[in-house]
Amino acid sequence: MKNSNFIKVILLLVCAVVTVPSMAQFNLKKAISGATKVVSAATLTDEQMTEYVAEYIDWMDKHNQVCADDNEYTIRLKKLTEGLTDADGIPLNFKVYYVIDVNAFACADGSVRVFSSLMDIMTDEELLGVIGHEIGHVAHRDSKKGFRTALLTSALKDGISSQGGKAAALTDSQIGDLTEALVNARYSQKQECDADDYGYEFLKKAGKNPWSMALSFQKLKKLQEESGAQGTSKLNQLFSTHPDLDLRIKRMEERATEDGIEKPASATTAAE
């Protein structure tokens, strides 16, 4: 475990640390020495944005332990997300990071990454709620807008260089700055509510039980209460506390009830 090269920004639940001591922490940034020279250039284009998103998720996959296809976490996630192929035309792909951090994220290109320790403490329904919400931000291009802002204000704050329209490659340091900016990014109340609504309809149309949205909010609230003063961690950013979490639970519960959808009798047991 490369302790000195990891930046810990996500709440680590004690139970996760105890039960999976062999996992690495989520690798956000590889420390390097020396300044990065970046040449100012033209406006960032959509094509360059696409290249940077691809480079970013490729770096993340290479620098974090991705569970193999025959791993129990991958098998569970694949079964859970069967039929979830695209979000408003954006193709989705799913992978599990074998890390002790409790989190999940979705990138602008439709790459969804779920952390194994989150899977350890959530039922299938709760996980679906997390995934549905994150996909809502992808479908509404919130993730794309947030990535562009983070890219220009952090990793490429001194400008970008390009030749023949091709984006300049990001250094490890720049990717680290970009990740930290994305971690600290906040969505507006409207964006959060819209992502909730999209997630609900997305799961419903895919044949999944949309009660998952309310169930995931309920689990998050429980985790917040258990974490106490540490509740400002990245775990809370799975669902921003604005608007109020209780109101979001109520909205999703009322919607599922009005649609006549039966609440799961019992949550599917999380993978051992």
Side-chain angles (χ1 to χ4, degrees), residues 14-262:
V14 173
C15 63
V17 176
V18 172
T19 57
V20 285
S22 62
M23 292 182 186
Q25 290 181 359
F26 180 41
N27 193 347
L28 293 177
K29 181 177 181 179
K30 185 170 73 174
I32 60 172
S33 60
T36 300
K37 182 180 180 181
V38 183
V39 181
S40 298
T43 303
L44 184 67
T45 66
D46 283 342
E47 183 179 354
Q48 290 174 326
M49 260 285 294
T50 299
E51 292 177 23
Y52 280 129
V53 170
E55 182 182 353
Y56 173 75
I57 197 64
D58 180 66
W59 191 98
M60 297 297 283
D61 287 351
K62 287 179 178 177
H63 289 79
N64 291 284
Q65 185 176 348
V66 176
C67 292
D69 290 342
D70 60 351
N71 183 276
E72 61 180 341
Y73 287 109
T74 302
I75 294 172
R76 180 186 173 200
L77 184 62
K78 183 177 180 180
K79 181 178 180 181
L80 187 64
T81 58
E82 185 176 1
L84 307 184
T85 57
D86 75 279
D88 195 35
I90 301 174
L92 301 172
N93 68 89
F94 301 88
K95 291 183 181 180
V96 181
Y97 285 172
Y98 189 68
V99 291
I100 60 176
D101 309 81
V102 180
N103 200 13
F105 70 90
C107 207
D109 67 341
S111 296
V112 181
R113 301 296 179 260
V114 182
F115 295 12
S116 57
S117 290
L118 180 68
M119 297 180 71
D120 286 334
I121 64 172
M122 282 195 165
T123 67
D124 285 355
E125 287 84 3
E126 291 163 352
L127 280 172
L128 274 175
V130 172
I131 291 170
H133 175 86
E134 292 298 322
I135 289 175
H137 284 306
V138 173
H140 291 149
R141 275 62 178 181
D142 297 333
S143 299
K144 180 179 180 180
K145 295 173 184 175
F147 189 94
R148 176 185 288 272
T149 298
L151 190 66
L152 293 176
T153 59
S154 59
L156 302 180
K157 57 182 176 293
D158 297 323
I160 62 173
S161 61
S162 62
Q163 294 183 352
K166 182 175 176 59
L170 296 175
T171 65
D172 285 345
S173 180
Q174 287 175 311
I175 288 179
D177 291 341
L178 173 59
T179 300
E180 289 183 85
L182 290 171
V183 163
N184 294 320
R186 294 281 184 174
Y187 292 123
S188 69
Q189 292 187 27
K190 184 177 186 305
Q191 287 174 316
E192 293 292 348
C193 284
D194 288 347
D196 293 347
D197 290 334
Y198 184 93
Y200 181 96
E201 286 298 328
F202 177 76
L203 295 177
K204 181 180 176 181
K205 290 178 180 178
K208 312 293 184 181
N209 193 326
W211 266 99
S212 295
M213 299 299 297
L215 294 175
S216 61
F217 292 152
Q218 290 169 359
K219 173 55 74 69
L220 178 63
K221 181 180 178 182
K222 179 181 178 181
L223 295 176
Q224 286 178 328
E225 292 171 348
E226 291 175 349
S227 65
Q230 298 180 41
T232 57
S233 73
K234 179 66 177 83
L235 176 61
N236 290 345
Q237 294 180 41
L238 284 171
F239 305 107
S240 171
T241 54
H242 304 287
D244 184 79
L245 197 53
D246 286 327
L247 293 178
R248 297 170 79 177
I249 293 172
K250 183 179 179 181
R251 284 183 72 238
M252 295 295 101
E253 287 180 335
E254 290 179 346
R255 188 165 181 178
T257 300
E258 290 173 0
D259 285 346
I261 299 173
E262 185 177 356

